[in-house]
Amino acid sequence: RLVESGGGLVQAGGSLRLSCAASGRAFGSYAMGWFRQAPGKEREFVATITWSGTSTVYADSVKGRFTISRDNTKNMVYLQMNSLKPEDTAVYYCAAGGGTYDRWDLYAYRGQGTQVTVSS
């Protein structure tokens, strides 16, 4: 089970840190991903991290502004979001899977999402 938290309302240029808490002993063996879905748009890839945390991949739209990280001792994955823009407004989801995929449907486990709203 995956539960996201940390969403909220922030002004453009601000920062938020999203957290995803995972239950289960096998957390450390899964790659983790963050996705987002804005109103009226398809869900899109944001970032992914390997099970060890040594490798990450980002969407071009967030590269240099967002950082994905994980703490396997706490079964947590994070998404630090800086320099937020109104176009980052979306529901953000975390997911766990067997690889660092950029496709939502390839992740075996998915959270329910947390809302992020960036005002201009």
Side-chain angles (χ1 to χ4, degrees), residues 35 43 93-95 102-111:
F35 291 78
R43 187 176 282 117
Y93 302 87
C94 69
D102 61 1
R103 282 175 47 184
W104 174 254
D105 61 311
L106 295 180
Y107 285 83
Y109 304 98
R110 307 162 194 171

Side-chain angles (χ1 to χ4, degrees), residues 69-107:
S69 61
R70 66 189 298 161
D71 185 341
N72 289 344
T73 65
K74 297 181 179 179
N75 281 15
M76 297 290 293
V77 63
Y78 307 100
L79 186 68
Q80 178 67 44
M81 306 185 295
N82 299 328
S83 302
L84 283 161
K85 304 175 182 180
E87 51 263 44
D88 294 318
T89 295
V91 177
Y92 283 72
Y93 302 87
C94 69
T100 50
Y101 311 118
D102 61 1
R103 282 175 47 184
W104 174 254
D105 61 311
L106 295 180
Y107 285 83

Side-chain angles (χ1 to χ4, degrees), residues 28-47:
S29 65
Y30 287 106
M32 299 295 296
W34 284 98
F35 291 78
R36 67 186 182 186
Q37 187 167 21
K41 296 187 177 181
E42 294 187 353
R43 187 176 282 117
E44 65 174 359
F45 166 75
V46 174

Side-chain angles (χ1 to χ4, degrees), residues 49-64:
I49 188 168
T50 54
W51 67 269
S52 63
T54 56
S55 182
T56 58
V57 179
Y58 296 92
D60 288 344
S61 59
V62 307
K63 202 171 294 183

